[in-house]
Amino acid sequence: MDFEMGKTYDELEIGMSASFTKTITETDVYLFAGISGDFNPMHVNEEFAKLTPFGTRIAHGALPQCLIAPVLGMKLPGLGTVALEINTRFRAPTHFGDTITASAEVKEKLEDKRWVRMTLSWTNQKGEKVAEGEALVMPPPKLG
């Protein structure tokens, strides 16, 4: 098999960025509930959700948060990257049918350990920021 490894520490530059976009469906929310074991009625029961400040069901916060995984692990830095830490602050709910774009940008290169700090953001189709955060990653090593 032939894999194209992601960018190494030396290949990464401050300001490089990548993103991944996905529409969050009702099916996604129910599958996520099954995978995570989180059946909070705020996510899966419309009648209960009507009683909440959101007035309707919303996706689990971790569901759109997970969309950063294909960015870090497959795009930037890419294959071979190890996520060491991800911090996320949720700013707005993700509703069923929202299209979320998860983005990462190289913010800082830490020479001592050859790790990279990245700024993260998640926005919906209206351009509203639903979450923001930071990741610390170990880019793939140079092979050969």
Side-chain angles (χ1 to χ4, degrees):
M1 294 185 149
D2 187 27
F3 298 103
E4 186 171 332
M5 296 299 280
K7 294 193 180 310
T8 65
Y9 179 87
D10 293 325
E11 294 171 319
L12 291 167
E13 297 176 15
I14 305 296
M16 285 181 155
S17 64
S19 63
F20 175 77
T21 302
K22 181 182 183 341
T23 300
I24 304 299
T25 67
E26 183 173 25
T27 300
D28 293 327
V29 173
Y30 277 86
L31 288 171
F32 193 85
I35 291 166
S36 67
D38 182 355
F39 289 92
N40 183 324
M42 183 180 295
H43 309 304
V44 298
N45 183 314
E46 185 62 32
E47 292 308 307
F48 176 87
K50 286 178 183 176
L51 306 173
T52 71
F54 306 112
T56 188
R57 293 173 294 166
I58 60 170
H60 304 74
L63 179 50
Q65 181 190 33
C66 288
L67 300 181
I68 206 65
V71 178
L72 300 176
M74 298 175 72
K75 293 186 173 190
L76 188 71
L79 295 183
T81 298
V82 176
L84 302 167
E85 183 179 299
I86 295 177
N87 296 303
T88 309
R89 181 176 21 183
F90 300 102
R91 305 198 43 133
T94 295
H95 296 279
F96 292 29
D98 279 355
T99 298
I100 303 297
T101 298
S103 303
E105 180 178 326
V106 177
K107 173 184 175 182
E108 180 183 8
K109 295 175 72 174
L110 307 170
E111 184 63 44
D112 58 335
K113 295 196 176 186
R114 297 179 65 79
W115 292 350
V116 175
R117 190 173 312 283
M118 303 184 79
T119 301
L120 309 178
S121 68
W122 292 262
T123 55
N124 65 20
Q125 71 281 1
K126 300 173 194 168
E128 300 166 336
K129 190 175 282 191
V130 298
E132 61 189 4
E134 208 173 71
L136 183 63
V137 302
M138 182 188 317
K142 183 173 179 70
L143 299 179

